[in-house]
Amino acid sequence: MIGADYKKSYIVLDTFNRADNPSSLGNADTGQAWIAKDNVWGILSGEAYTPASGSPSLVIVDSGVSTNFKISVRMARWGVGSQAPGLAIRAIDSDNMFRFTQVKDTIIMFQKKVAGTIITLGNYTELTLSDNDTLSVVLQGNVFKLYLNDTLLGT
């Protein structure tokens, strides 16, 4: 996007194109601070990561928007084993949020988590997941629309 101010189209945008840091994500390109809610998060080779394997890890950025928005994340790599990468929406902590997350090699779930209790709202199976896929959620009022690479999975 040479000559264009790409930040004007986004409330929060982060390319993680900054120096490696093993203990902090710092601030998004648009200025908001990343807040690690569980474990340590850092930047390695232009990607966000957590070195804490096998335990809950959540990092959030407050957009100031709670309804009528679209949020997307490019999944540089999908998880293996017990990892469950994905996208948290309206997250307070690891026990209270909505999440759109990979739970097995070919399965993504949409879940609501309240006080640690998980309620599955959508189960999308037999998906072909590849590095650099994009997960997106569009929220209009209280209606969530879930997308994988711009293909609607469910509402």
Side-chain angles (χ1 to χ4, degrees):
M1 298 183 88
I2 297 171
D5 185 355
Y6 65 91
K7 295 178 186 178
K8 291 191 187 272
S9 300
Y10 301 92
I11 295 169
V12 176
L13 174 72
D14 204 339
T15 60
F16 300 105
N17 186 19
R18 51 189 172 273
D20 288 354
N21 185 330
S23 61
S24 174
L25 292 178
N27 291 342
D29 295 346
T30 47
Q32 298 91 341
W34 285 100
I35 303 162
K37 290 296 201 173
D38 298 299
N39 295 316
V40 174
W41 281 77
I43 297 173
L44 182 63
S45 301
E47 295 179 0
Y49 82 105
T50 179
S53 179
S55 59
S57 294
L58 176 68
V59 64
I60 64 170
V61 63
D62 186 353
S63 68
V65 178
S66 62
T67 190
N68 299 330
F69 62 84
K70 177 180 180 180
I71 183 170
S72 297
V73 63
R74 180 185 58 84
M75 303 301 295
R77 284 179 215 72
W78 288 101
V80 293
S82 64
Q83 297 175 343
L87 189 56
I89 304 106
R90 293 183 176 169
I92 297 168
D93 55 32
S94 290
D95 289 327
N96 299 282
M97 71 178 97
F98 289 92
R99 65 185 186 184
F100 188 31
T101 186
Q102 176 196 14
V103 293
K104 292 193 178 179
D105 290 343
T106 61
I107 300 172
I108 294 177
M109 287 187 175
F110 183 55
Q111 299 171 321
K112 180 179 181 179
K113 196 171 183 185
V114 178
T117 300
I118 297 171
I119 301 162
T120 298
L121 304 172
N123 187 17
Y124 312 102
T125 62
E126 299 186 30
L127 300 171
T128 301
L129 303 176
S130 302
D131 292 348
N132 296 308
D133 281 344
T134 300
L135 281 178
S136 300
V137 176
V138 175
L139 180 61
Q140 295 172 315
N142 287 320
V143 177
F144 290 87
K145 293 183 180 178
L146 312 165
Y147 296 86
L148 176 63
N149 297 324
D150 295 323
T151 298
L152 180 66
L153 295 179
T155 302

